[in-house]
Amino acid sequence: MSLAQRRILLGVSGGIAAYKSCELVRRLRDLGAEVRVVMTEGATHFVSATTFQALSGQPVRMSLWDAEAEAAMGHIELARWAERILIAPASADLIARLAHGFANDLLTTVCLASAAPVYLAPAMNQQMWAHPAVQANIDTLRQRGVHLLGPASGDQACGDIGSGRMLEPMELREAMVASFGNLVLRGLKVVVSAGPTYEDIDPVRFIGNRSSGRMGFAVAEAAAQAGAEVTLVAGPVSLSTPPGVRRRVDVRSAAQMRDAVVDAAAQADIYIAAAAVGDYRPAEVADYKLKKQAGAPLELRLSENPDILATLAAQTVRPFLVGFAAETHDVERYARDKLQRKGLDMIAANQVGGGLGFEAADNALTLYWADGVADLSRASKTDLAHQLVAKVAERYRTVRG
Ligand code: CTP
């Protein structure tokens, strides 16, 4: 285990668990991490900046308005410096301010100004943690890709028993080590497709589907974090490009997506097809707005779209191909059928409906390959994406050496 030269910004907000963060700084540094501490005003009521300064070997920042500190390393520089932002403890107040995009102190400002992944270790009274306001803020942050570490259950400093304890320093350190992974895709080029496709009927109408693109974007981010050079081909979605993704190509229709993917895949080692590609498009696209013919049914003739995965599978030199299969029933049978029919190396299948799949923050996947299977249990799309990428890397190394 090593964190050698890893740059971790530790945010400390106001809570009694702040004393454990002193230990955390030591443990992170034991593994070679560079740690810079940013404290909120509340945190200074629990632990002094001098303690963190001595332990981290770096000046501790507390205020946006400290001219001397800004001259040494400005807050934007600090935001860029960080490879990871770990906030421990994360108080209810800090969580609320992050969820609502506040920039009213140095720590929240740095979080907004940084592309680094943010890890939160909440710590608060169990009643506060269970409060719907706190839970709604946590949901917002999770959907935005913030990683949640804990909280744990147990005895609390206030005498209560329940969920809200900050994870122990060693557990937080393990999470940091795991977050850097071991760059399982280092040196590989990966293309990820994501989102729906839209097939125009006329200038104002289209046939689309309910894919949000979140799973594919999470996969692209996880692949980038695993060291891959990622090209993301995105259908019409309203998501910002994940940090670390090298190139993004925005497309609308299945035909455009095929062209962009085929182009990018020519150089790629792995293609992960997370897009929900429309199977059909209107046979004719009207170049004027179709008018309603009252009382008469409208008939649309549809033509079949190109199958992007099958197109790549038919090439003699082709990347390692990973497909997705969203099914409402008979998941394994349909998934294995697609694996074979489309000539894929692996397929990630999920059941849609029941709060999972499209438009949901959580998902559950089962991976199938010719002679194997792996279950990734229900988790956030971000966490699943990391598990998927780890498995893809493992299979890729097995098959392609
Ligand atoms: N896919 C593709 N090109 C298409 C349609 C789908 O590359 N024209 C890819 C998707 O990106 C996904 C996988 O194929 O990775 C499975 O998509 P799905 O729509 O479930 O497969 P279909 O073959 O269309 O099967 P179904 O009859 O279930 O729609």
Side-chain angles (χ1 to χ4, degrees):
M1 275 205 308
S2 166
L3 285 170
Q5 282 151 32
R6 294 301 191 183
R7 300 185 304 272
I8 299 175
L9 189 146
L10 176 66
V12 183
S13 64
I16 182 59
Y19 80 90
K20 291 194 200 172
S21 303
C22 303
E23 172 77 10
L24 174 60
V25 174
R26 291 201 59 171
R27 296 300 152 237
L28 291 171
R29 292 201 67 204
D30 285 348
L31 293 187
E34 291 176 37
V35 182
R36 284 178 182 264
V37 178
V38 174
M39 301 174 78
T40 64
E41 204 274 325
T44 62
H45 293 278
F46 294 91
V47 187
S48 88
T50 321
T51 310
F52 282 120
Q53 182 151 331
L55 292 170
S56 67
Q58 298 288 342
V60 171
R61 295 287 313 266
M62 282 164 292
S63 164
L64 258 176
W65 314 116
D66 180 339
E68 205 179 307
E70 278 291 305
M73 188 189 254
H75 62 280
I76 298 294
E77 242 178 295
L78 190 60
R80 290 201 190 115
W81 171 87
E83 288 179 283
R84 296 286 182 274
I85 297 179
L86 168 61
I87 304 183
S91 65
D93 177 69
L94 186 91
I95 289 167
R97 290 189 291 126
L98 284 181
H100 294 279
F102 279 39
N104 57 350
D105 66 2
L106 179 64
L107 182 54
T108 48
T109 304
V110 167
C111 287
L112 286 186
S114 180
V118 176
Y119 292 76
L120 286 186
M124 67 194 75
N125 164 269
Q126 50 86 21
Q127 195 74 41
M128 288 173 80
W129 173 249
H131 196 286
V134 173
Q135 288 303 311
N137 289 334
I138 287 288
D139 276 350
T140 304
L141 290 169
R142 278 183 63 192
Q143 281 174 31
R144 233 179 256 156
V146 168
H147 306 267
L148 206 61
L149 305 174
S153 269
D155 291 343
Q156 300 201 300
C158 52
D160 279 8
I161 297 174
S163 189
R165 274 172 65 98
M166 188 170 92
L167 293 190
E168 295 303 322
M170 291 302 265
E171 293 174 293
L172 295 176
R173 182 175 82 170
E174 263 168 41
M176 281 299 97
V177 172
S179 80
F180 286 106
N182 49 2
L183 300 183
V184 283
L185 294 178
R186 192 207 292 263
L188 297 179
K189 293 195 171 78
V190 175
V191 179
V192 180
S193 65
T197 58
Y198 285 178
E199 307 296 342
D200 289 335
I201 299 170
D202 69 14
V204 294
R205 304 181 181 93
F206 61 86
I207 300 173
N209 63 66
R210 290 168 54 185
S211 165
S212 67
R214 284 210 295 266
M215 189 69 222
F217 273 57
V219 170
E221 180 167 4
Q225 277 179 22
E229 186 183 320
V230 178
T231 300
L232 174 59
V233 179
V237 293
S238 49
L239 296 172
S240 49
T241 308
V245 167
R246 202 66 78 78
R247 192 160 77 94
R248 170 172 176 172
V249 186
D250 287 303
V251 298
R252 182 173 170 84
S253 66
Q256 288 170 356
M257 185 171 277
R258 184 219 26 217
D259 293 347
V261 168
V262 168
D263 183 47
Q267 321 290 332
D269 302 289
I270 298 172
Y271 170 51
I272 305 178
V277 186
D279 289 328
Y280 296 95
R281 66 181 183 281
E284 292 102 34
V285 184
D287 50 16
Y288 54 89
K289 186 179 164 201
L290 295 177
K291 285 297 181 193
K292 184 167 74 180
Q293 306 292 332
L298 172 70
E299 289 190 6
L300 275 181
R301 258 184 355 104
L302 302 177
S303 308
E304 202 177 334
N305 269 332
D307 190 304
I308 303 170
L309 272 173
T311 306
L312 291 181
Q315 298 176 344
T316 38
V317 181
R318 62 187 192 84
F320 182 90
L321 298 175
V322 183
F324 270 73
E327 309 289 351
T328 54
H329 58 287
D330 280 339
V331 179
E332 172 157 11
R333 185 159 66 83
Y334 284 122
R336 285 213 175 268
D337 174 62
K338 267 174 211 174
L339 179 75
Q340 216 180 14
R341 187 164 41 86
K342 299 200 185 205
L344 309 180
D345 297 290
M346 184 189 271
I347 193 151
N350 66 326
Q351 177 118 28
V352 288
L356 294 172
F358 286 5
E359 294 175 348
D362 280 0
N363 206 349
L365 291 174
T366 307
L367 309 181
Y368 299 97
W369 56 97
D371 53 359
V373 56
D375 259 316
L376 313 183
S377 56
R378 182 175 179 153
S380 71
K381 289 183 177 173
T382 311
D383 291 341
L384 272 180
H386 281 282
Q387 297 179 51
L388 170 74
V389 160
K391 207 71 202 171
V392 168
E394 189 186 307
R395 290 299 308 155
Y396 175 85
R397 304 278 179 206
T398 310
V399 177
R400 303 265 171 127

